[in-house]
Amino acid sequence: MFDGLRFNHWRAEVRDDRVVVLTFDRAASSVNTLARAVLEELEQIIERVAIEKPKGLVVISGKTAGFVAGADIGEFKVYHERGTVFESIRYGQNVFQKLSELPCPTVAAIHGHCMGGGTELALACRYRVASTDDSTRIGLPEVKLGIYPGWGGSVRLPPLVGAPAAFDMMLTGRALSASNARAIGLVDKTCEPAVLLDTALGLLKRGVQRPLKQRLTAWATNWWPVRQALAPMLVKKVSRKARKAHYPAPFALIETWRRSGGPVEARLVAEAKSVAKLANTPTAQNLVRVYFLQERLKSLGGKSHDIHNVHVVGAGVMGGDIAAWCALRGFETTLQDRSLEQVQPAIARAHTFYEKKIKREDKRAGAIARLKADVEGAGVAKADLVIEAIFENLDAKRALYAKVEETLPAGALLSSNTSSIALDDLRAELKHPAQFAGLHFFNPVAMMPLVEIVRHDSMDAETERRLAAFCRAIDKLPVPVAGTPGFLVNRILMPYLLEAMTCYSEGVPGPVIDKAALAFGMPMGPIELADTVGLDVAASVGKIMAEFLNLPIPSGLDSLLASGKRGRKDGQGFYTWENGRAKKPEVPKEYKAPEDLTDRLVLAFVNEAVACLHEGVVADEDLLDAGVIFGTGFAPFRGGPIAYVRAEGAAKLKARLEQLATRHGPRFNPRPGWDALIGG
């Protein structure tokens, strides 16, 4: 059937029963991605199958890592530069449409990750079977790149599973397990990984009848009048989480679906036009850049770290949560504090976390077993990595390090989770400073992806590499930073928070300040963020950074702390908190925010980012943007603070800073580094 045809990325086996098993195994790659060359070979295969008319076709992966990771995002930039985005989308659509029109039954056999274009390939098949392995996840995450499924995914998914389930997948980018995918009708059968191919072959021969309720839901929710009624409801739901001006893709997806009807070809063209238009927006360009920034952080350090046993000293919120996370990710972890009474709450909190995080009882029991209380500190003698997370006091930390070094094995690493103390000061009395570094996690540990690897003048490069690899092993993104006070994230964040508190002390209502930040694209307003971090923590770090950066402390902050108000953790701070949510006071309708409020907040942030780049706190502007986005949530659609400066114009922003300095004081004087960006 395939005589004379040679493929680099596909293996076609014709079985005795005339079923073709098509194995996707992209050459020179550890994962399967759908590059143009891959699609061109697939098109040839599909055309031959259409001519030969076998009994059926099974598409399966030859990679242990998964089915298909999605499109080759590296090609996005090429299409954009050539102005061929629409044509490339249409080509992918046409290949998948040919697959969907084959006269023989087709099955996608899914094991492991199946994302984006991989899911669209599966949707073009008549049937889908997925393995029940924990690694199997099926999703359409294109919205995270500022677009939406463009190879037929937004056309095929709603009629298959119904609009509510389809839009939940496409608007959130959330990936489904095999069982959840089957529950909505995306997958026809599930099975153990060992019998995936056999199950797919059985599905080819016998087919499957989808439940009547699924078929009725799919038909009804895509009927023209229902689309007109559902679309505004979807828009309203999306609007609560994203602004159209910031993230246009979800709104474009809903509108294209609402107005598109008729034959498949017409709907595919509408999809391609809409996605091509989105792909050329600054939002999509920046989000694709953020994707590559994330991939760069993932690549730091490689995979080898030689860390198996982790010992955490300090069972407070940060130390306890770091230990719980390490145990969750497979590391034998001991947690030390001065008494069992201090360790036990952290252990209990970890067990509650595991109950929510891990569904399988055996895996949950494994995580619980890996996390052990260790009041005596016996775990130090077996540790490959010690993480210190005690209170911010230089003398206390130095005393602890001296004690730890007495029993710490040769080759083991010692690290500190300090958020503000200079690493050169911490390492001053160590016997083995080359194996010491900062390992700064962010709160809440389970949600914040970034970890700063903090350098000092005596640190060995291998220490940084091993810690970067360890961060990847626990599913965190490492960014190496200089050991100056505040490092990268806190140093940039504190001028922003202090300026927000200054505005508050001047009488600007908290909700107005927060609204201005949200309108810019921040995930949370700075007043709410200060309450969330804890006013005691914000004040402690703020005073260190204010002294280092010569910034004024906002009036009223000390009195707020003196009253015992610490924010969310106590239920009272700038706001009153109930059930973990801030109760923000009503702002009089006639109130008008200061016209320069947004500039005061954003430029305080950006000004310090420019200074950090100039001083070499990170190696380059890409690492700075990555660290700030993943460490603070800085508006991803803007690409990071330095990308924002370049987009707005460095000269223009510097001039605005000079205006703010004239109006509000020298804290807004442009920091060193602006002229290099203007010249660059």
Side-chain angles (χ1 to χ4, degrees):
M1 183 181 293
F2 295 99
D3 294 344
L5 292 177
R6 302 182 69 85
F7 307 109
N8 293 318
H9 309 293
W10 300 89
R11 295 194 306 272
E13 175 198 354
V14 184
R15 292 164 44 94
D16 293 341
D17 56 4
R18 297 196 72 245
V19 169
V20 176
V21 176
L22 184 60
T23 303
F24 182 18
D25 192 359
R26 184 172 177 182
S29 176
S30 60
V31 296
N32 284 331
T33 51
L34 295 165
R36 178 66 178 236
V38 170
L39 290 174
E40 288 173 350
E41 288 189 357
L42 179 60
E43 183 179 32
Q44 292 181 56
I45 294 166
I46 292 169
E47 289 173 349
R48 181 57 63 94
V49 169
I51 294 169
E52 298 290 345
K53 297 182 176 61
K55 293 291 185 181
L57 173 71
V58 175
V59 183
I60 197 166
S61 171
K63 305 288 189 190
T64 56
F67 183 65
V68 184
D72 188 333
I73 298 175
E75 294 185 339
F76 284 17
K77 185 178 181 181
V78 176
Y79 298 140
H80 178 71
E81 290 172 349
R82 292 176 180 173
T84 59
V85 174
F86 176 75
E87 290 77 11
S88 71
I89 293 172
R90 285 293 289 149
Y91 180 74
Q93 285 183 337
N94 289 334
V95 173
F96 288 172
Q97 185 61 16
K98 288 178 181 179
L99 174 60
S100 73
E101 292 173 348
L102 284 175
C104 64
T106 54
V107 178
I110 301 166
H111 170 72
H113 55 245
C114 176
M115 297 292 155
T119 300
E120 292 181 287
L121 187 156
L123 286 168
C125 294
R126 188 179 301 180
Y127 305 116
R128 285 149 298 281
V129 58
S131 84
T132 53
D133 191 85
D134 287 346
S135 69
T136 298
R137 288 290 184 273
I138 305 172
L140 291 165
E142 288 87 346
V143 69
K144 297 177 182 179
L145 297 176
I147 54 176
Y148 63 84
W151 283 343
S154 74
V155 171
R156 293 190 177 93
L157 186 62
L160 179 69
V161 303
F167 278 93
D168 183 66
M169 280 189 70
M170 292 188 290
L171 293 175
T172 65
R174 185 163 42 239
L176 303 181
S177 65
S179 59
N180 288 340
R182 178 157 189 201
I184 67 169
L186 173 55
V187 163
D188 298 291
K189 281 190 178 296
T190 58
C191 63
E192 291 294 323
V195 294
L196 182 64
L197 180 57
D198 290 339
T199 305
L201 293 169
L203 197 54
L204 272 184
K205 294 173 183 176
R206 292 183 290 276
V208 68
Q209 178 73 359
R210 298 174 68 238
L212 178 62
K213 184 178 178 181
Q214 281 185 356
R215 286 180 283 143
L216 286 176
T217 300
W219 174 82
T221 57
N222 288 279
W223 186 35
W224 174 268
V226 177
R227 290 211 308 272
Q228 308 316 302
L230 272 179
M233 296 168 61
L234 290 169
V235 168
K236 186 176 181 181
K237 184 177 180 180
V238 170
S239 298
R240 287 197 286 264
K241 296 186 176 181
R243 295 169 185 257
K244 186 175 181 180
H246 297 167
Y247 297 98
F251 301 91
L253 166 60
I254 295 166
E255 178 59 18
T256 304
W257 171 76
R258 183 193 68 79
R259 59 180 169 78
S260 298
V264 169
E265 182 62 21
R267 286 181 282 143
L268 287 172
V269 170
E271 176 190 76
K273 287 181 177 178
S274 176
V275 173
K277 184 177 179 181
L278 288 167
N280 288 314
T281 62
T283 291
Q285 297 299 310
N286 281 329
L287 290 177
V288 168
R289 177 171 178 266
V290 170
Y291 168 83
F292 283 110
L293 294 179
Q294 178 173 292
E295 292 301 299
R296 180 179 174 187
L297 296 187
K298 287 181 179 180
S299 71
L300 297 177
K303 294 183 178 179
S304 172
H305 49 73
D306 294 324
I307 294 171
H308 308 284
N309 297 291
V310 177
H311 183 77
V312 180
V313 186
V317 172
M318 284 302 295
D321 288 359
I322 291 169
W325 187 262
C326 291
L328 174 72
R329 293 303 177 201
F331 289 85
E332 294 294 330
T333 308
T334 44
L335 178 59
Q336 180 182 358
D337 214 311
R338 287 171 291 184
S339 69
L340 188 60
E341 288 75 18
Q342 289 170 301
V343 176
Q344 204 56 49
I347 299 290
R349 193 168 64 250
H351 290 186
T352 301
F353 171 59
Y354 296 155
E355 287 284 342
K356 296 177 181 177
K357 188 77 175 176
I358 310 172
K359 292 183 179 179
R360 282 181 49 175
E361 189 173 339
D362 59 334
K363 293 203 169 188
R364 188 164 59 245
I368 290 171
R370 286 191 293 271
L371 178 61
K372 301 177 181 68
D374 181 16
V375 175
E376 301 300 324
V380 172
K382 296 186 293 183
D384 303 301
L385 170 65
V386 172
I387 303 173
E388 169 268 304
I390 67 171
F391 59 98
E392 293 287 79
N393 181 280
L394 177 61
D395 292 336
K397 290 177 187 288
R398 283 180 172 177
L400 173 65
Y401 301 160
K403 180 69 174 174
V404 166
E405 283 196 313
E406 291 176 5
T407 54
L408 190 65
L413 303 180
L414 173 62
S415 67
S416 173
N417 186 55
T418 181
S419 59
S420 55
I421 300 176
L423 267 287
D424 288 350
D425 294 336
L426 288 175
R427 65 98 187 123
E429 299 176 1
L430 287 172
K431 295 178 183 176
H432 305 287
Q435 292 160 225
F436 172 71
L439 199 61
H440 181 219
F441 291 77
F442 294 86
N443 190 29
V445 173
M447 294 178 61
M448 297 298 288
L450 192 77
V451 175
E452 291 175 317
I453 299 176
V454 190
R455 297 172 170 141
H456 58 86
D457 57 3
S458 301
M459 191 175 92
D460 191 272
E462 179 64 4
T463 297
E464 179 181 312
R465 189 203 65 75
R466 288 178 65 193
L467 288 175
F470 170 73
C471 287
R472 290 306 307 129
I474 60 170
D475 199 27
K476 296 295 181 183
L477 299 172
V479 61
V481 300
T484 55
F487 317 136
L488 175 69
V489 172
N490 281 342
R491 176 170 168 178
I492 291 175
L493 190 62
M494 286 316 301
Y496 165 73
L497 290 180
L498 291 172
E499 189 59 32
M501 294 178 200
T502 299
C503 293
Y504 184 90
S505 71
E506 292 172 358
V508 183
V512 172
I513 298 168
D514 285 347
K515 185 177 180 181
L518 292 171
F520 177 79
M522 296 298 192
M524 179 184 289
I527 299 299
E528 184 175 348
L529 178 60
D531 265 1
T532 302
V533 170
L535 297 186
D536 53 338
V537 175
S540 174
V541 177
K543 286 175 181 177
I544 293 171
M545 296 314 302
E547 182 178 351
F548 178 63
L549 300 173
N550 195 26
L551 296 172
I553 295 291
S555 62
L557 181 58
D558 286 338
S559 62
L560 195 64
L561 287 170
S563 68
K565 297 176 179 178
R566 299 191 301 170
R568 179 178 176 177
K569 66 181 89 174
D570 293 331
Q572 186 66 50
F574 288 107
Y575 300 130
T576 300
W577 290 77
E578 290 183 4
N579 300 318
R581 297 178 66 88
K583 290 186 66 178
K584 299 186 179 183
E586 289 289 330
V587 178
K589 292 182 179 179
E590 65 275 9
Y591 181 84
K592 287 189 177 181
E595 62 179 20
D596 61 359
L597 177 59
T598 301
D599 275 354
R600 287 178 65 178
L601 298 173
V602 173
L603 293 183
F605 193 111
V606 170
N607 198 20
E608 200 55 44
V610 170
C612 285
L613 181 63
H614 174 73
E615 293 176 21
V617 173
V618 286
D620 55 56
E621 63 185 70
D622 282 351
L623 282 179
L624 188 144
D625 280 346
V628 173
I629 288 170
F630 296 115
T632 73
F634 180 93
F637 71 92
R638 297 190 186 276
I642 304 302
Y644 171 70
V645 169
R646 294 197 179 280
E648 289 290 303
K652 183 174 76 171
L653 293 184
K654 183 183 178 187
R656 277 156 65 178
L657 277 167
E658 289 166 346
Q659 291 172 357
L660 289 174
T662 300
R663 191 179 305 165
H664 296 288
R667 67 184 181 278
F668 284 107
N669 285 332
R671 303 273 281 130
W674 282 96
D675 290 342
L677 291 173
I678 292 170

